[in-house]
C-alpha cells in the first residue's frame, strides 16, 4: 500500500507570494493532519480534517488555510508568504480519528 | 493546552549499548503516547505507541514505559545499531479528540 504522498517535495517562493501544498493520504484513510516543522519550534500542529470538515486548528495566523476533498486528499495554502514561513510542511493521515498518524516525507518550503 | 518536554536533546551511545529517552507531559487527560523516528530527508515514522491503560509495551528491541501518576513516559532501545541513528520524537494527545503535541526531539547517534 502506498504511503502518504506530498507534492511538491521542494518549493522556493518569494515574500508576498502564495503557495499551495498537496497531500494524498494512504488509501482508505479518512483523516488528514498538517504540521509545520522548523529547527527552532519543532513539530507544530496546523490543522486536522476528517470527512472534509476541519476538526482542529493550531495557533497559526489566518494566512494559513486548508481543505479536504471528498476523496480525502488535502491541500493547504499559505498566502502573503513571510521569511518565517520557511519550513518543512508535513502531512499525516490516519484511518480514523483514533488511529495512529502516518506521515509523508514533507514539502520543504523556502521563502526568499 | 498540552505541553511535552523531551530530554536529552542529543544522545550518543556505543553500538550494542542501550539508549533511553524521557518525556513528560502536562495534561493529565492525555491518554495516547506515540514515539516517532525521523531519518534525514524523511517524515517521522511511528515506531511504537502506548495508551494510558497500559504501563509498558515492548516490540523487539524497543520498549516504552508510562507512569501516569508522574506524567512521564520513556523510550528504551536495547542493543543499539548504527541504523538506529536518527531523531526521535515523543508525543501526547487525548486520542480521537486533540491533536498530537510533540516534544522537541532527541538526536540519537550510535557509534560503531
Amino acid at each position: 500500500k502506498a504511503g502518504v504522498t506530498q507534492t511538491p517535495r521542494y518549493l522556493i517562493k518569494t515574500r508576498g507570494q502564495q503557495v499551495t501544498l498537496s497531500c494524498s493520504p494512504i488509501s482508505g484513510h479518512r483523516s488528514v493532519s498538517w504540521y509545520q516543522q522548523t529547527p527552532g519550534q519543532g513539530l507544530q500542529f496546523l490543522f486536522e480534517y476528517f470527512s472534509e470538515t476541519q476538526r482542529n486548528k493550531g495557533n497559526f495566523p489566518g494566512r494559513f488555510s486548508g481543505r479536504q476533498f471528498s476523496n480525502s486528499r488535502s491541500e493547504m495554502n499559505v498566502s502573503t508568504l513571510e521569511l518565517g514561513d520557511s519550513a518543512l510542511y508535513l502531512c499525516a493521515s490516519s484511518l480514523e480519528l483514533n488511529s495512529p498518524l502516518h506521515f509523508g516525507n514533507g514539502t520543504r518550503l523556502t521563502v526568499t | 493546552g498540552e505541553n511535552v518536554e523531551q530530554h536529552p536533546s542529543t544522545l550518543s551511545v556505543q553500538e550494542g549499548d542501550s539508549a533511553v529517552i524521557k518525556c513528560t507531559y502536562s495534561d493529565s487527560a492525555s491518554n495516547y503516547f506515540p514515539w516517532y523516528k525521523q531519518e534525514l530527508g524523511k517524515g517521522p515514522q511511528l515506531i511504537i505507541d502506548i495508551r494510558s491503560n497500559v504501563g509498558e509495551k515492548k516490540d523487539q528491541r524497543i520498549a516504552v514505559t508510562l507512569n501516569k501518576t508522574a506524567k512521564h513516559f520513556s523510550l528504551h532501545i536495547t542493543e543499539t545499531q548504527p541504523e538506529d541513528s536518527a531523531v526521535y520524537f515523543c508525543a501526547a494527545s487525548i486520542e480521537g479528540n486533540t491533536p498530537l503535541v510533540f516534544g522537541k526531539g532527541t538526536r540519537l547517534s550510535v557509534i560503531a
Side-chain angles (χ1 to χ4, degrees):
Chain A
K1 191 182 267 191
V4 176
T5 303
Q6 291 189 245
T7 55
R9 285 298 311 274
Y10 303 94
L11 264 178
I12 300 175
K13 291 286 186 178
T14 304
R15 268 182 305 173
Q17 289 185 315
Q18 74 164 13
V19 66
T20 299
L21 312 182
S22 180
C23 172
S24 293
I26 293 171
S27 178
H29 284 200
R30 297 200 292 161
S31 179
V32 171
S33 298
W34 290 87
Y35 284 80
Q36 180 195 65
Q37 185 175 27
T38 59
Q41 298 299 317
L43 282 148
Q44 293 196 293
F45 171 73
L46 282 158
F47 347 85
E48 178 189 34
Y49 291 90
F50 182 80
S51 294
E52 301 179 70
T53 300
Q54 187 179 91
R55 289 194 71 249
N56 284 298
K57 188 178 192 304
N59 189 25
F60 278 83
R63 301 184 296 106
F64 291 80
S65 62
R67 59 179 175 168
Q68 185 182 32
F69 302 96
S70 58
N71 61 359
S72 293
R73 195 176 66 84
S74 178
E75 288 181 348
M76 67 164 281
N77 184 276
V78 188
S79 62
T80 320
L81 284 165
E82 301 177 359
L83 294 179
D85 297 334
S86 295
L88 181 66
Y89 289 88
L90 292 161
C91 172
S93 73
S94 62
L95 190 61
E96 299 290 343
L97 289 172
N98 59 349
S99 303
L101 277 185
H102 298 273
F103 282 87
N105 288 331
T107 293
R108 170 76 61 187
L109 172 64
T110 302
V111 182
T112 62
Chain B
E2 177 65 273
N3 183 50
V4 176
E5 300 284 341
Q6 181 174 348
H7 58 93
S9 56
T10 60
L11 179 60
S12 290
V13 299
Q14 291 291 130
E15 182 178 0
D17 286 352
S18 295
V20 180
I21 302 171
K22 299 182 180 182
C23 289
T24 59
Y25 61 99
S26 61
D27 188 349
S28 57
S30 289
N31 59 5
Y32 177 61
F33 308 93
W35 286 87
Y36 285 84
K37 173 184 181 182
Q38 187 173 26
E39 296 175 323
L40 199 61
K42 296 187 176 181
Q45 177 189 9
L46 178 68
I47 56 172
I48 195 167
D49 57 10
I50 191 168
R51 291 169 174 83
S52 58
N53 58 342
V54 174
E56 184 173 356
K57 185 176 179 181
K58 191 172 181 180
D59 182 6
Q60 300 183 353
R61 297 186 297 108
I62 294 173
V64 58
T65 59
L66 171 65
N67 183 325
K68 286 186 295 183
T69 303
K71 289 190 283 188
H72 67 70
F73 56 114
S74 300
L75 177 71
H76 304 252
I77 306 174
T78 59
E79 301 172 19
T80 53
Q81 301 166 4
E83 51 264 40
D84 294 329
S85 296
V87 179
Y88 291 80
F89 293 93
C90 62
S93 74
I94 303 173
E95 192 170 28
N97 193 331
T98 62
L100 283 176
V101 175
F102 286 83
K104 289 291 176 69
T106 296
R107 183 173 298 278
L108 173 65
S109 299
V110 180
I111 305 162

